[in-house]
Amino acid sequence: MAKILGIGNATLDIVLTVDGYPQENDEIRCTDRSIRRGGNTANTLVVLSQLGHACNWAGMLVDTAEGQFIRNDLESRGVDTAASRLVGSGSVPISSILLNGRTGSRTIIHYRDLPEYSLADFCSLELKSFDWLHFEGRNIEALWAMMRWCSERYPSIPRSLEIEKPRPGIEDLFGLAQVLLFSQTYALSRGHTDPERLLQSVHRQFPGADLFCTWGVRGAVSMDREGRFTNQAAHIPPRVVDTLGAGDTFNAGVIDGYLAQRDTVTILRQACVLAGKKCGRTGFDGLSCSGCQGP
Ligand code: ADP
Ligand code: FRU
């Protein structure tokens, strides 16, 4: 069991399941609705906690019933929230999500009115006991300073960085992590129509990191620091019901694989199988890595 710190968002997800995606200006009924705790880093930590790790979340919360709901949910799933910061006004980040019950696709509309986790908050944490630090690629200026600080003070603690959305300056963070986790959205935003091209171009500039890029139902690709590619098909569950957080689950699978000292090929396979299992179920409960490493 490893001790992991994740720095990023926890959100309130209002999920409406619909039987087919609506047209603009339609009025339709949903077949199900649920209010869930979400957020990329929070989701990743909840999965890692189920895989047996001691997880800690560093992020922002508001002192409201919604903030309490998020905190309770994380704590009930074994994620320690002592490193979070509470503010008295604003709103927790809220995502209104349409989940297409026919395909499992999710459409997210996100609202945020919350200060960011600061460098001062981060530097006040006792980091030396952690085995892994995972950063969500947002709040870029502060994140750069946090990652820099870690690389100077705690060079032996491995760092992963999630690069989901193109944000100004996010590339400045690439040299500060050993594991870079890219999304299809980011690759497309950079003009790469396949994951290999993105990874090749990042590898040329940052040969010191292992690279991963997910590509939805196609699966994912990795390139290790020696420049070796691996392609992994998605693990398709009997029925795809909920792809919300598939990428966050993939990231948990990668981090767990490194902590278990597996090789990149096995790590990629394990992450795809875990993400595929998640797509076959609603939410994140009941996930395990059994059978994830393949034949
Ligand atoms: P995100 O959730 O960040 O949008 P992706 O859609 O790329 O990320 O999904 C992450 C991983 O989840 C993929 O690499 C794949 O392994 C798995 N995955 C995504 N969609 C499906 C699906 N429909 N069926 C099976 N696996 C999927
Ligand atoms: C899924 C997710 C949701 C959240 C949204 C934030 O990856 O973390 O839980 O609402 O993305 O962008």
Side-chain angles (χ1 to χ4, degrees):
M1 185 234 268
K3 194 170 168 194
I4 301 167
L5 178 68
I7 301 101
N9 271 343
T11 63
L12 187 78
D13 289 357
I14 301 168
V15 184
L16 303 178
T17 307
V18 289
D19 186 21
Y21 197 80
Q23 303 287 322
E24 185 174 349
N25 211 30
D26 264 0
E27 183 178 334
I28 59 166
R29 287 204 179 181
C30 56
T31 55
D32 192 21
R33 73 186 175 116
S34 57
I35 296 187
R36 312 180 190 168
R37 184 267 329 131
N40 293 7
T41 296
N43 292 338
T44 297
L45 291 173
V46 160
V47 176
L48 281 164
S49 173
Q50 286 185 72
L51 301 183
H53 301 291
C55 293
N56 295 253
W57 174 63
M60 300 299 290
L61 278 180
V62 185
D63 193 9
T64 57
E66 290 166 340
Q68 197 55 50
F69 171 82
I70 291 172
R71 186 191 295 283
N72 289 346
D73 181 276
L74 286 170
E75 294 280 349
S76 73
R77 287 170 165 76
V79 177
D80 190 315
T81 62
S84 64
R85 292 290 172 269
L86 198 63
V87 290
S89 63
S91 158
V92 295
I94 295 181
S95 293
S96 301
I97 298 167
L98 282 189
L99 188 62
N100 185 341
R102 289 195 189 173
T103 62
S105 84
R106 87 290 179 276
T107 304
I108 304 175
I109 304 170
H110 192 61
Y111 172 79
R112 181 183 177 91
D113 170 26
L114 191 62
E116 298 287 356
Y117 202 76
S118 71
L119 178 63
D121 292 330
F122 186 75
C123 292
S124 71
L125 303 175
E126 182 59 67
L127 292 182
K128 67 171 183 292
S129 61
F130 287 100
D131 302 302
W132 192 278
L133 303 173
H134 175 65
F135 297 86
E136 188 174 321
R138 51 186 312 289
N139 184 21
I140 303 298
E141 229 173 279
L143 208 61
W144 182 85
M146 293 177 203
M147 295 177 75
R148 204 44 217 273
W149 196 74
C150 294
S151 70
E152 282 163 7
R153 294 222 176 186
Y154 306 99
S156 62
I157 310 178
R159 297 175 296 279
S160 52
L161 173 69
E162 177 204 70
I163 305 106
E164 190 192 59
K165 296 187 184 72
R167 298 184 194 274
I170 198 165
E171 290 76 15
D172 296 343
L173 307 178
F174 292 1
L176 294 170
Q178 291 79 21
V179 177
L180 299 177
L181 301 156
F182 293 97
S183 71
Q184 180 178 22
T185 306
Y186 178 81
L188 293 174
S189 79
R190 287 284 163 266
H192 299 293
T193 48
D194 61 61
E196 289 85 355
R197 271 174 229 257
L198 169 75
L199 298 192
Q200 215 152 30
S201 120
V202 175
H203 175 73
R204 271 197 292 273
Q205 275 188 285
F206 301 96
D210 289 339
L211 313 174
F212 295 81
C213 184
T214 63
W215 213 264
V217 73
R218 185 194 137 172
V221 173
S222 67
M223 187 184 234
D224 67 16
R225 48 198 87 181
E226 270 77 51
R228 289 179 297 225
F229 270 124
T230 307
N231 240 288
Q232 175 65 50
H235 166 81
I236 308 294
R239 188 168 159 246
V240 176
V241 294
D242 177 9
T243 62
L244 182 63
D248 309 331
T249 306
F250 177 93
N251 293 347
V254 170
I255 294 168
D256 177 76
Y258 277 100
L259 289 164
Q261 302 189 324
R262 303 202 162 100
D263 59 85
T264 323
V265 175
T266 310
I267 290 172
L268 181 69
R269 185 185 308 129
Q270 146 165 342
C272 280
V273 176
L274 192 65
K277 284 188 188 184
K278 187 264 140 324
C279 294
R281 68 186 62 224
T282 300
F284 300 94
D285 288 342
L287 287 169
S288 86
C289 264
S290 74
C292 283
Q293 289 86 40

